[in-house]
mmCIF file of all heavy atoms in Angstrom:
data_model
loop_
_atom_site.group_PDB
_atom_site.id
_atom_site.type_symbol
_atom_site.label_atom_id
_atom_site.label_comp_id
_atom_site.label_asym_id
_atom_site.label_seq_id
_atom_site.Cartn_x
_atom_site.Cartn_y
_atom_site.Cartn_z
ATOM 1 N N THR A 1046 38.606 99.430 87.242
ATOM 2 C CA THR A 1046 38.354 100.723 86.604
ATOM 3 C C THR A 1046 36.844 100.866 86.475
ATOM 4 O O THR A 1046 36.222 100.365 85.541
ATOM 5 C CB THR A 1046 39.046 100.798 85.237
ATOM 6 O OG1 THR A 1046 40.443 100.527 85.405
ATOM 7 C CG2 THR A 1046 38.870 102.194 84.638
ATOM 8 N N PHE A 1047 36.282 101.567 87.440
ATOM 9 C CA PHE A 1047 34.835 101.577 87.635
ATOM 10 C C PHE A 1047 34.081 102.013 86.389
ATOM 11 O O PHE A 1047 33.020 101.480 86.068
ATOM 12 C CB PHE A 1047 34.520 102.496 88.827
ATOM 13 C CG PHE A 1047 33.121 102.403 89.353
ATOM 14 C CD1 PHE A 1047 32.646 101.209 89.887
ATOM 15 C CD2 PHE A 1047 32.288 103.511 89.365
ATOM 16 C CE1 PHE A 1047 31.355 101.117 90.399
ATOM 17 C CE2 PHE A 1047 31.001 103.444 89.871
ATOM 18 C CZ PHE A 1047 30.538 102.234 90.397
ATOM 19 N N THR A 1048 34.635 102.968 85.649
ATOM 20 C CA THR A 1048 33.921 103.506 84.492
ATOM 21 C C THR A 1048 33.898 102.553 83.304
ATOM 22 O O THR A 1048 33.234 102.829 82.304
ATOM 23 C CB THR A 1048 34.528 104.846 84.061
ATOM 24 O OG1 THR A 1048 35.948 104.689 83.902
ATOM 25 C CG2 THR A 1048 34.254 105.947 85.080
ATOM 26 N N LEU A 1049 34.583 101.437 83.387
ATOM 27 C CA LEU A 1049 34.530 100.441 82.315
ATOM 28 C C LEU A 1049 33.437 99.401 82.550
ATOM 29 O O LEU A 1049 33.299 98.459 81.770
ATOM 30 C CB LEU A 1049 35.882 99.739 82.179
ATOM 31 C CG LEU A 1049 37.026 100.612 81.669
ATOM 32 C CD1 LEU A 1049 38.317 99.801 81.611
ATOM 33 C CD2 LEU A 1049 36.719 101.213 80.307
ATOM 34 N N TYR A 1050 32.681 99.597 83.620
ATOM 35 C CA TYR A 1050 31.692 98.592 84.006
ATOM 36 C C TYR A 1050 30.300 99.175 84.137
ATOM 37 O O TYR A 1050 30.113 100.233 84.754
ATOM 38 C CB TYR A 1050 32.071 97.959 85.346
ATOM 39 C CG TYR A 1050 33.294 97.094 85.269
ATOM 40 C CD1 TYR A 1050 34.571 97.642 85.313
ATOM 41 C CD2 TYR A 1050 33.180 95.716 85.147
ATOM 42 C CE1 TYR A 1050 35.694 96.849 85.223
ATOM 43 C CE2 TYR A 1050 34.301 94.904 85.064
ATOM 44 C CZ TYR A 1050 35.552 95.484 85.100
ATOM 45 O OH TYR A 1050 36.663 94.690 85.011
ATOM 46 N N ALA A 1051 29.327 98.461 83.561
ATOM 47 C CA ALA A 1051 27.941 98.677 83.959
ATOM 48 C C ALA A 1051 27.758 98.019 85.325
ATOM 49 O O ALA A 1051 28.425 97.036 85.645
ATOM 50 C CB ALA A 1051 26.997 98.063 82.939
ATOM 51 N N MET A 1052 26.866 98.570 86.104
ATOM 52 C CA MET A 1052 26.627 98.039 87.451
ATOM 53 C C MET A 1052 25.169 97.626 87.593
ATOM 54 O O MET A 1052 24.258 98.310 87.104
ATOM 55 C CB MET A 1052 26.961 99.101 88.502
ATOM 56 C CG MET A 1052 28.413 99.554 88.477
ATOM 57 S SD MET A 1052 29.580 98.230 88.799
ATOM 58 C CE MET A 1052 29.144 97.789 90.489
ATOM 59 N N GLY A 1053 24.981 96.519 88.259
ATOM 60 C CA GLY A 1053 23.630 96.030 88.451
ATOM 61 C C GLY A 1053 23.353 95.663 89.894
ATOM 62 O O GLY A 1053 24.272 95.331 90.649
ATOM 63 N N TRP A 1054 22.089 95.763 90.255
ATOM 64 C CA TRP A 1054 21.607 95.249 91.537
ATOM 65 C C TRP A 1054 20.696 94.054 91.235
ATOM 66 O O TRP A 1054 19.718 94.185 90.497
ATOM 67 C CB TRP A 1054 20.826 96.305 92.310
ATOM 68 C CG TRP A 1054 21.672 97.348 92.960
ATOM 69 C CD1 TRP A 1054 21.955 98.598 92.494
ATOM 70 C CD2 TRP A 1054 22.352 97.218 94.211
ATOM 71 N NE1 TRP A 1054 22.777 99.256 93.369
ATOM 72 C CE2 TRP A 1054 23.031 98.432 94.443
ATOM 73 C CE3 TRP A 1054 22.468 96.203 95.165
ATOM 74 C CZ2 TRP A 1054 23.807 98.661 95.582
ATOM 75 C CZ3 TRP A 1054 23.233 96.429 96.289
ATOM 76 C CH2 TRP A 1054 23.892 97.646 96.487
ATOM 77 N N PHE A 1055 21.045 92.924 91.806
ATOM 78 C CA PHE A 1055 20.244 91.714 91.694
ATOM 79 C C PHE A 1055 19.661 91.403 93.072
ATOM 80 O O PHE A 1055 20.152 91.875 94.091
ATOM 81 C CB PHE A 1055 21.108 90.529 91.255
ATOM 82 C CG PHE A 1055 21.532 90.577 89.812
ATOM 83 C CD1 PHE A 1055 22.581 91.398 89.413
ATOM 84 C CD2 PHE A 1055 20.904 89.797 88.857
ATOM 85 C CE1 PHE A 1055 22.986 91.436 88.081
ATOM 86 C CE2 PHE A 1055 21.303 89.826 87.525
ATOM 87 C CZ PHE A 1055 22.351 90.647 87.140
ATOM 88 N N ARG A 1056 18.650 90.553 93.066
ATOM 89 C CA ARG A 1056 18.138 90.040 94.330
ATOM 90 C C ARG A 1056 17.748 88.580 94.170
ATOM 91 O O ARG A 1056 17.427 88.121 93.081
ATOM 92 C CB ARG A 1056 16.943 90.862 94.832
ATOM 93 C CG ARG A 1056 15.685 90.740 93.985
ATOM 94 C CD ARG A 1056 14.624 91.700 94.522
ATOM 95 N NE ARG A 1056 13.385 91.626 93.754
ATOM 96 C CZ ARG A 1056 12.363 92.448 93.915
ATOM 97 N NH1 ARG A 1056 12.421 93.423 94.831
ATOM 98 N NH2 ARG A 1056 11.267 92.313 93.179
ATOM 99 N N GLN A 1057 17.815 87.896 95.305
ATOM 100 C CA GLN A 1057 17.437 86.484 95.308
ATOM 101 C C GLN A 1057 16.713 86.173 96.604
ATOM 102 O O GLN A 1057 17.279 86.338 97.694
ATOM 103 C CB GLN A 1057 18.661 85.579 95.152
ATOM 104 C CG GLN A 1057 18.302 84.121 94.946
ATOM 105 C CD GLN A 1057 19.484 83.306 94.450
ATOM 106 O OE1 GLN A 1057 20.633 83.693 94.582
ATOM 107 N NE2 GLN A 1057 19.189 82.171 93.853
ATOM 108 N N ALA A 1058 15.491 85.734 96.458
ATOM 109 C CA ALA A 1058 14.686 85.307 97.597
ATOM 110 C C ALA A 1058 14.809 83.790 97.727
ATOM 111 O O ALA A 1058 15.110 83.102 96.742
ATOM 112 C CB ALA A 1058 13.235 85.719 97.405
ATOM 113 N N PRO A 1059 14.574 83.250 98.920
ATOM 114 C CA PRO A 1059 14.679 81.798 99.113
ATOM 115 C C PRO A 1059 13.794 81.039 98.134
ATOM 116 O O PRO A 1059 12.619 81.359 97.958
ATOM 117 C CB PRO A 1059 14.205 81.608 100.557
ATOM 118 C CG PRO A 1059 14.515 82.900 101.215
ATOM 119 C CD PRO A 1059 14.281 83.954 100.175
ATOM 120 N N GLY A 1060 14.394 80.062 97.450
ATOM 121 C CA GLY A 1060 13.642 79.234 96.526
ATOM 122 C C GLY A 1060 13.392 79.856 95.173
ATOM 123 O O GLY A 1060 12.710 79.264 94.329
ATOM 124 N N LYS A 1061 13.936 81.057 94.957
ATOM 125 C CA LYS A 1061 13.724 81.744 93.684
ATOM 126 C C LYS A 1061 15.051 81.996 92.991
ATOM 127 O O LYS A 1061 16.116 81.975 93.606
ATOM 128 C CB LYS A 1061 12.986 83.059 93.909
ATOM 129 C CG LYS A 1061 11.565 82.882 94.421
ATOM 130 C CD LYS A 1061 10.813 84.195 94.418
ATOM 131 C CE LYS A 1061 9.369 84.006 94.838
ATOM 132 N NZ LYS A 1061 8.607 85.288 94.798
ATOM 133 N N GLU A 1062 14.969 82.248 91.683
ATOM 134 C CA GLU A 1062 16.170 82.549 90.918
ATOM 135 C C GLU A 1062 16.619 83.980 91.186
ATOM 136 O O GLU A 1062 15.830 84.842 91.549
ATOM 137 C CB GLU A 1062 15.902 82.361 89.424
ATOM 138 C CG GLU A 1062 15.666 80.915 89.017
ATOM 139 C CD GLU A 1062 15.564 80.751 87.515
ATOM 140 O OE1 GLU A 1062 15.550 81.770 86.800
ATOM 141 O OE2 GLU A 1062 15.501 79.599 87.050
ATOM 142 N N ARG A 1063 17.905 84.188 90.964
ATOM 143 C CA ARG A 1063 18.441 85.537 91.084
ATOM 144 C C ARG A 1063 17.907 86.374 89.925
ATOM 145 O O ARG A 1063 17.944 85.947 88.769
ATOM 146 C CB ARG A 1063 19.965 85.487 91.053
ATOM 147 C CG ARG A 1063 20.642 86.766 91.433
ATOM 148 C CD ARG A 1063 22.127 86.569 91.603
ATOM 149 N NE ARG A 1063 22.438 85.627 92.679
ATOM 150 C CZ ARG A 1063 23.661 85.451 93.169
ATOM 151 N NH1 ARG A 1063 24.683 86.124 92.680
ATOM 152 N NH2 ARG A 1063 23.865 84.589 94.132
ATOM 153 N N GLU A 1064 17.417 87.560 90.232
ATOM 154 C CA GLU A 1064 16.845 88.417 89.200
ATOM 155 C C GLU A 1064 17.465 89.806 89.235
ATOM 156 O O GLU A 1064 17.813 90.321 90.302
ATOM 157 C CB GLU A 1064 15.323 88.540 89.385
ATOM 158 C CG GLU A 1064 14.884 89.205 90.664
ATOM 159 C CD GLU A 1064 13.397 89.530 90.713
ATOM 160 O OE1 GLU A 1064 12.735 89.498 89.645
ATOM 161 O OE2 GLU A 1064 12.899 89.832 91.807
ATOM 162 N N LEU A 1065 17.560 90.391 88.053
ATOM 163 C CA LEU A 1065 18.071 91.755 87.954
ATOM 164 C C LEU A 1065 16.971 92.728 88.372
ATOM 165 O O LEU A 1065 15.863 92.699 87.839
ATOM 166 C CB LEU A 1065 18.512 92.053 86.523
ATOM 167 C CG LEU A 1065 19.047 93.463 86.270
ATOM 168 C CD1 LEU A 1065 20.324 93.703 87.064
ATOM 169 C CD2 LEU A 1065 19.284 93.675 84.775
ATOM 170 N N VAL A 1066 17.303 93.576 89.303
ATOM 171 C CA VAL A 1066 16.369 94.592 89.787
ATOM 172 C C VAL A 1066 16.565 95.897 89.030
ATOM 173 O O VAL A 1066 15.599 96.513 88.584
ATOM 174 C CB VAL A 1066 16.575 94.821 91.297
ATOM 175 C CG1 VAL A 1066 15.715 95.970 91.784
ATOM 176 C CG2 VAL A 1066 16.274 93.558 92.072
ATOM 177 N N ALA A 1067 17.817 96.306 88.887
ATOM 178 C CA ALA A 1067 18.135 97.557 88.211
ATOM 179 C C ALA A 1067 19.576 97.517 87.739
ATOM 180 O O ALA A 1067 20.405 96.837 88.340
ATOM 181 C CB ALA A 1067 17.928 98.751 89.144
ATOM 182 N N ALA A 1068 19.847 98.240 86.662
ATOM 183 C CA ALA A 1068 21.209 98.326 86.144
ATOM 184 C C ALA A 1068 21.438 99.723 85.580
ATOM 185 O O ALA A 1068 20.495 100.384 85.127
ATOM 186 C CB ALA A 1068 21.456 97.276 85.074
ATOM 187 N N VAL A 1069 22.698 100.131 85.594
ATOM 188 C CA VAL A 1069 23.058 101.467 85.098
ATOM 189 C C VAL A 1069 24.328 101.343 84.284
ATOM 190 O O VAL A 1069 25.276 100.632 84.662
ATOM 191 C CB VAL A 1069 23.216 102.456 86.270
ATOM 192 C CG1 VAL A 1069 24.269 102.007 87.269
ATOM 193 C CG2 VAL A 1069 23.487 103.862 85.774
ATOM 194 N N SER A 1070 24.361 102.024 83.150
ATOM 195 C CA SER A 1070 25.547 101.996 82.289
ATOM 196 C C SER A 1070 26.673 102.818 82.907
ATOM 197 O O SER A 1070 26.475 103.531 83.894
ATOM 198 C CB SER A 1070 25.205 102.527 80.904
ATOM 199 O OG SER A 1070 24.752 103.873 80.987
ATOM 200 N N TRP A 1071 27.842 102.768 82.295
ATOM 201 C CA TRP A 1071 29.035 103.340 82.900
ATOM 202 C C TRP A 1071 28.896 104.835 83.211
ATOM 203 O O TRP A 1071 29.454 105.310 84.199
ATOM 204 C CB TRP A 1071 30.243 103.121 81.976
ATOM 205 C CG TRP A 1071 30.227 103.984 80.743
ATOM 206 C CD1 TRP A 1071 29.600 103.726 79.564
ATOM 207 C CD2 TRP A 1071 30.879 105.252 80.589
ATOM 208 N NE1 TRP A 1071 29.811 104.753 78.685
ATOM 209 C CE2 TRP A 1071 30.601 105.693 79.284
ATOM 210 C CE3 TRP A 1071 31.674 106.041 81.415
ATOM 211 C CZ2 TRP A 1071 31.082 106.903 78.791
ATOM 212 C CZ3 TRP A 1071 32.163 107.245 80.928
ATOM 213 C CH2 TRP A 1071 31.857 107.664 79.629
ATOM 214 N N ASN A 1072 28.139 105.544 82.385
ATOM 215 C CA ASN A 1072 28.012 106.989 82.589
ATOM 216 C C ASN A 1072 26.633 107.397 83.083
ATOM 217 O O ASN A 1072 26.319 108.577 83.144
ATOM 218 C CB ASN A 1072 28.321 107.735 81.293
ATOM 219 C CG ASN A 1072 27.381 107.343 80.165
ATOM 220 O OD1 ASN A 1072 26.555 106.454 80.321
ATOM 221 N ND2 ASN A 1072 27.519 108.002 79.035
ATOM 222 N N GLY A 1073 25.793 106.413 83.394
ATOM 223 C CA GLY A 1073 24.467 106.722 83.906
ATOM 224 C C GLY A 1073 23.448 107.042 82.839
ATOM 225 O O GLY A 1073 22.293 107.320 83.163
ATOM 226 N N ALA A 1074 23.837 106.991 81.570
ATOM 227 C CA ALA A 1074 22.924 107.384 80.499
ATOM 228 C C ALA A 1074 21.836 106.348 80.253
ATOM 229 O O ALA A 1074 20.729 106.697 79.834
ATOM 230 C CB ALA A 1074 23.704 107.636 79.213
ATOM 231 N N ASN A 1075 22.153 105.094 80.453
ATOM 232 C CA ASN A 1075 21.183 104.015 80.252
ATOM 233 C C ASN A 1075 20.872 103.354 81.578
ATOM 234 O O ASN A 1075 21.787 103.015 82.340
ATOM 235 C CB ASN A 1075 21.727 102.972 79.279
ATOM 236 C CG ASN A 1075 21.880 103.538 77.873
ATOM 237 O OD1 ASN A 1075 21.194 104.478 77.498
ATOM 238 N ND2 ASN A 1075 22.783 102.968 77.117
ATOM 239 N N ILE A 1076 19.595 103.169 81.818
ATOM 240 C CA ILE A 1076 19.142 102.563 83.069
ATOM 241 C C ILE A 1076 18.042 101.567 82.769
ATOM 242 O O ILE A 1076 17.198 101.798 81.905
ATOM 243 C CB ILE A 1076 18.650 103.638 84.053
ATOM 244 C CG1 ILE A 1076 19.835 104.453 84.588
ATOM 245 C CG2 ILE A 1076 17.882 103.018 85.216
ATOM 246 C CD1 ILE A 1076 19.459 105.562 85.539
ATOM 247 N N TYR A 1077 18.095 100.469 83.494
ATOM 248 C CA TYR A 1077 17.077 99.423 83.376
ATOM 249 C C TYR A 1077 16.463 99.186 84.750
ATOM 250 O O TYR A 1077 17.174 99.176 85.766
ATOM 251 C CB TYR A 1077 17.711 98.115 82.883
ATOM 252 C CG TYR A 1077 16.822 96.909 83.082
ATOM 253 C CD1 TYR A 1077 15.881 96.541 82.133
ATOM 254 C CD2 TYR A 1077 16.899 96.151 84.252
ATOM 255 C CE1 TYR A 1077 15.055 95.460 82.325
ATOM 256 C CE2 TYR A 1077 16.068 95.062 84.461
ATOM 257 C CZ TYR A 1077 15.164 94.719 83.491
ATOM 258 O OH TYR A 1077 14.343 93.648 83.697
ATOM 259 N N TYR A 1078 15.148 98.974 84.762
ATOM 260 C CA TYR A 1078 14.450 98.552 85.973
ATOM 261 C C TYR A 1078 13.563 97.364 85.645
ATOM 262 O O TYR A 1078 12.904 97.330 84.605
ATOM 263 C CB TYR A 1078 13.566 99.667 86.541
ATOM 264 C CG TYR A 1078 14.316 100.866 87.058
ATOM 265 C CD1 TYR A 1078 14.343 102.062 86.370
ATOM 266 C CD2 TYR A 1078 15.007 100.803 88.279
ATOM 267 C CE1 TYR A 1078 15.023 103.167 86.842
ATOM 268 C CE2 TYR A 1078 15.696 101.905 88.758
ATOM 269 C CZ TYR A 1078 15.700 103.075 88.030
ATOM 270 O OH TYR A 1078 16.385 104.167 88.514
ATOM 271 N N ALA A 1079 13.510 96.422 86.556
ATOM 272 C CA ALA A 1079 12.517 95.363 86.457
ATOM 273 C C ALA A 1079 11.131 95.991 86.634
ATOM 274 O O ALA A 1079 10.966 96.969 87.376
ATOM 275 C CB ALA A 1079 12.771 94.303 87.516
ATOM 276 N N ASP A 1080 10.148 95.415 85.964
ATOM 277 C CA ASP A 1080 8.788 95.957 86.052
ATOM 278 C C ASP A 1080 8.297 96.030 87.494
ATOM 279 O O ASP A 1080 7.561 96.936 87.858
ATOM 280 C CB ASP A 1080 7.834 95.101 85.229
ATOM 281 C CG ASP A 1080 8.023 95.285 83.729
ATOM 282 O OD1 ASP A 1080 8.645 96.293 83.323
ATOM 283 O OD2 ASP A 1080 7.555 94.415 82.973
ATOM 284 N N SER A 1081 8.722 95.072 88.294
ATOM 285 C CA SER A 1081 8.223 94.988 89.669
ATOM 286 C C SER A 1081 8.695 96.137 90.557
ATOM 287 O O SER A 1081 8.126 96.357 91.624
ATOM 288 C CB SER A 1081 8.646 93.657 90.294
ATOM 289 O OG SER A 1081 10.050 93.531 90.256
ATOM 290 N N VAL A 1082 9.725 96.877 90.121
ATOM 291 C CA VAL A 1082 10.262 97.945 90.970
ATOM 292 C C VAL A 1082 10.171 99.316 90.328
ATOM 293 O O VAL A 1082 10.520 100.317 90.951
ATOM 294 C CB VAL A 1082 11.723 97.661 91.380
ATOM 295 C CG1 VAL A 1082 11.845 96.289 92.015
ATOM 296 C CG2 VAL A 1082 12.674 97.812 90.196
#
C-alpha cells in the first residue's frame, strides 16, 4: 500500500557507506535532501 510508506533514494559508491540522498513522505508534504544534492 504505497501511501503507507515514505520513499527514499539511497546511493552507495565503492568503499563508502550507503547514504540517503532524498526522501519524500507519503503525500509529498515533507521532503529531505542531503546537503550534497
Side-chain angles (χ1 to χ4, degrees):
T1046 305
F1047 192 62
T1048 52
L1049 292 179
Y1050 291 82
M1052 299 299 296
W1054 284 98
F1055 287 78
R1056 68 185 180 188
Q1057 188 166 20
K1061 294 189 176 182
E1062 292 187 353
R1063 191 170 298 191
E1064 64 170 345
L1065 179 64
V1066 174
V1069 58
S1070 61
W1071 73 275
N1072 60 355
N1075 293 334
I1076 289 178
Y1077 165 87
Y1078 294 106
D1080 287 343
S1081 57
V1082 306

